[in-house]
């Protein structure tokens, strides 16, 4: 019975620490499923946002098709790798983690500009 008390204590501690965040994420997921997700950046500007296609890329990556995932958004896999590196480095090497974040921002902007020119050429605001 001692293991049950220890497990219960750990379980309570986990939900005390992360319970509000988990609840907020679940609530957001329910709202998105009911209302539907529409990109606010695209709705306002009629220009694809820097993350356009990232959800589809993640879904196809989870299905095991990494080539199609790269076609949907080439920065998904590098974003996941850099995000993991930043999480691991943040406490001991915060300056290195910040440099990685700036490198990621620059890479996302370069990828976004490239995709606006070569992938989404007919979706500019003046052409719609």
């Amino acid at each position: 019975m001692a293991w049950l008390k220890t497990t219960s204590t750990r379980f309570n501690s986990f939900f005390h620490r992360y319970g509000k965040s988990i609840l907020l994420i679940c609530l957001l997921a329910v709202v998105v499923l009911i209302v539907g997700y529409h990109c606010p950046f695209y709705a306002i500007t009629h220009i694809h946002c820097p993350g356009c296609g990232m959800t589809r890329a993640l879904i196809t990556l989870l299905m095991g098709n990494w080539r199609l995932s790269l076609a949907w958004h080439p920065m998904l896999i590098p974003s996941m790798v850099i995000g993991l590196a930043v999480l691991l480095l943040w406490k001991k090497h915060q300056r290195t983690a910040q440099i990685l974040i700036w490198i990621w921002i620059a890479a996302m902007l370069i990828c976004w500009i490239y995709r606006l020119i070569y992938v989404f050429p007919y979706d500019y605001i003046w052409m719609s």
Side-chain angles (χ1 to χ4, degrees), residues 39-86:
C39 177
F41 186 85
Y42 185 80
I44 294 169
T45 64
H46 294 287
I47 297 173
H48 293 282
C49 70
C52 184
M54 189 119 10
T55 305
R56 290 171 285 194
L58 179 63
I59 291 169
T60 55
L61 183 66
L62 292 174
M63 292 169 55
N65 193 345
W66 63 272
R67 288 183 180 152
L68 184 59
S69 175
L70 288 174
W72 279 118
H73 202 296
M75 284 298 295
L76 174 71
I77 296 171
S79 294
M80 292 176 10
V81 170
I82 290 174
L84 182 62
V86 166

Side-chain angles (χ1 to χ4, degrees), residues 80-103:
M80 292 176 10
V81 170
I82 290 174
L84 182 62
V86 166
L87 284 175
L88 294 174
L89 292 172
W90 191 258
K91 287 196 177 192
K92 292 189 178 182
H93 306 285
Q94 190 170 5
R95 181 72 180 145
T96 306
Q98 290 173 347
I99 291 170
L100 280 175
I101 291 171
W102 283 108
I103 291 170

Side-chain angles (χ1 to χ4, degrees), residues 38-53 112-113 115-117 120-128:
H38 303 286
C39 177
F41 186 85
Y42 185 80
I44 294 169
T45 64
H46 294 287
I47 297 173
H48 293 282
C49 70
C52 184
W112 179 48
I113 291 168
R115 292 177 78 210
L116 282 176
I117 294 169
F120 308 121
Y122 301 108
D123 286 337
Y124 295 129
I125 192 166
W126 56 84
M127 291 184 176
S128 55

